[in-house]
Every structure is written in C-alpha cells, then in structure tokens.
Amino acid sequence: MSGWIIAGAIVAVILILLMTSVTVRFEYSGELRLKINWLFLNLVQIPAKTKKMKRRDKKAEKDVKSAAADEEELSGEAPDGKTGVSQEKKSSPEPKKSQEKKAKKPKGSPKNSADKLTLKDIRALVKLVWDSLSKPLKRVLKATRIYDFRLYIVVGGEDAAKAAIRFGEVNIAAGSALAFLDGNFTLKKPDYYITCDFLSEETRSECSFTAKLTVIAALAFLFWLAGRAVKNYRAREDAAAAVGKLRK
C-alpha cells in the first residue's frame, strides 16, 4: 500500500511540475530589461546582477594590466621610460625550399560535384524545415499567454509636418504589431497609447509585458516537431539526399 502512495505522490509532483509555467518579463523604457523564470530558478536576466558585473569589470582590468605588462617586456622598455635594446633578435628569413613546401601543401581532396548542394537541395531542406515546424510552432505560440501588455509612445519633433508623418507611421507599425500578436499569441487585454507632442524634440517609447508558457506545452511542441521531422524526412527522398550531402 505504501508503494502505491509513493508512486502516486511522484506522479502528482511530475504533473504539477509539467503544469507550471515559464515566465518571461520584458520591459523597455530607455533600456532593455528581460527576465526569464521557472519556479524559483532565474534562467535569464538582462542586465545581469551587479555583483557579477563588478567581478567581470575587475577581471577585465586585470587582463588589460597583464597585457600592458607583456607588451612592455616584449618591447624592452626601460623602467625610466627610455627604450632599451630589444632582447629578441629578428628571426632569419626561412629558406626558399621550406617556403616552397608550404606553398605546395595539398589543400585536401576537392569534393565531387555530386556531393555539392544545389539550389534544388536547398529548396528541399527549406521545405522540410517549414513543413515540420509550421503547425507545431503555431500551436505553441497560441499556447503562449501574454499578460499586462502595455505600449506607450509619444512622437515628438520640432517640425509639425514631419512629426505628423512620423506619428502616422508609428500608428501603422504599432497596429500591425498588435494584430500580429493578437493573431498568433493569446493576448489578454492589451493597453496601448500613442500620441504626438510637438513641444518635445525626441520620441519616447515604453513597452512591457509578461508572457507565460507551460512546461507541458513546450515538451509537446518538441515531441511533435521531432515526429513530423522524422516522418517528412523518411517520406521525401530529395530532402534525405540533401541532408546526406550536409553530413559529408
């Protein structure tokens, strides 16, 4: 009885982990901020933490100092600033025979024309990738939920005519981007505001959103993609031949 309880607990934990979501937080207001979390794990963070940045800066300073010291040793510069005589002698030119041998080294056997990729092979590879990726990608994008989407743009410019033209272009671009997001992702109550300020010389923009995707949806995407790729690879001789040429 205790064995069934342990097995049931393990299955329950696995299901709970599969139903958890990977969270992506994106913010832009003059500088980019990106954070990807899963449970308590911080997978990606831009910009990085301050401690890591300080360590990298210290390491870079040490590398610069050591490189400068190496250059001083090689140049033979004296400590008082006067250049001394270099300790290394100029290397004597190599004899002509050795140069001829280096020039006559074989570059490897050339590939046969039958082993080279042709335009037909490239088309077959592109079609294989697209047919394998299109349906799984659409499904995983639709399973991605975007919350708290906020877009704020203030178009500025001293010239009123140019600012008005830019305002129209920004509206068209923002509308197209929102239509793309709404058509491919699950977009929850987006909030966007675009205006024009003729008293401002610069254009200001802010954007932020939170995207979530469950682990089970990501794993389903990977397995479905792998299955379709294997199926298409076996069904198409031209794609299999192109992949064989890439391996050679």
Side-chain angles (χ1 to χ4, degrees):
M1 188 66 181
S2 60
W4 286 104
I5 294 173
I6 294 172
I10 293 172
V11 172
V13 170
I14 292 173
L15 289 175
I16 291 171
L17 291 177
L18 291 176
M19 294 305 294
T20 56
S21 298
V22 178
T23 304
V24 178
R25 179 62 184 173
F26 174 86
E27 294 180 2
Y28 177 80
S29 57
E31 63 177 357
L32 175 65
R33 293 182 180 275
L34 179 65
K35 195 173 183 180
I36 303 177
N37 291 337
W38 180 58
L39 294 176
F40 55 87
L41 298 176
N42 190 9
L43 303 177
V44 177
Q45 184 171 351
I46 300 174
K49 292 182 179 179
T50 310
K51 291 182 179 179
K52 291 183 179 180
M53 293 177 69
K54 287 181 179 179
R55 289 175 185 173
R56 289 175 185 173
D57 293 340
K58 289 180 181 179
K59 188 177 179 181
E61 289 178 1
K62 289 180 181 179
D63 294 339
V64 171
K65 289 180 181 179
S66 61
D70 294 338
E71 288 181 359
E72 288 179 0
E73 289 178 1
L74 292 174
S75 61
E77 186 176 352
D80 58 351
K82 297 179 180 179
T83 56
V85 181
S86 62
Q87 296 178 358
E88 296 181 357
K89 295 182 179 180
K90 293 182 178 180
S91 59
S92 58
E94 294 183 357
K96 293 182 179 179
K97 292 183 179 180
S98 62
Q99 293 179 359
E100 291 177 358
K101 286 181 180 179
K102 288 184 178 180
K104 292 180 180 179
K105 280 185 179 179
K107 295 182 180 179
S109 57
K111 292 184 178 181
N112 297 328
S113 58
D115 296 335
K116 294 181 179 179
L117 284 175
T118 61
L119 184 60
K120 184 179 178 181
D121 296 329
I122 296 173
R123 288 177 180 173
L125 289 174
V126 172
K127 191 174 181 181
L128 173 65
V129 173
W130 175 251
D131 290 344
S132 303
L133 183 62
S134 57
K135 288 186 178 180
L137 183 60
K138 288 180 181 178
R139 184 71 61 85
V140 76
L141 290 180
K142 204 63 181 177
T144 304
R145 305 177 306 279
I146 299 178
Y147 301 93
D148 302 328
F149 181 86
R150 181 176 179 273
L151 179 63
Y152 179 80
I153 301 176
V154 178
V155 180
E158 293 181 352
D159 190 349
K162 291 182 179 180
I165 294 172
R166 195 180 300 116
F167 175 71
E169 293 173 350
V170 170
N171 265 311
I172 294 172
S176 302
L178 285 172
F180 172 80
L181 291 175
D182 193 23
N184 293 278
F185 296 85
T186 302
L187 192 60
K188 301 288 186 178
K189 296 180 180 180
D191 179 22
Y192 63 96
Y193 178 74
I194 303 173
T195 186
C196 190
D197 185 5
F198 297 108
L199 299 178
S200 177
E201 297 180 0
E202 298 179 354
T203 299
R204 304 186 304 274
S205 59
E206 296 180 7
C207 181
S208 62
F209 64 85
T210 301
K212 292 184 178 182
L213 177 67
T214 58
V215 176
I216 192 170
L219 291 176
F221 163 74
L222 294 176
F223 283 115
W224 192 12
L225 174 62
R228 287 179 62 85
V230 172
K231 182 180 178 181
N232 292 331
Y233 174 77
R234 291 179 177 177
R236 298 178 182 176
E237 296 180 356
D238 53 351
V243 173
K245 290 180 181 180
L246 285 176
R247 292 177 178 176
K248 293 180 182 180

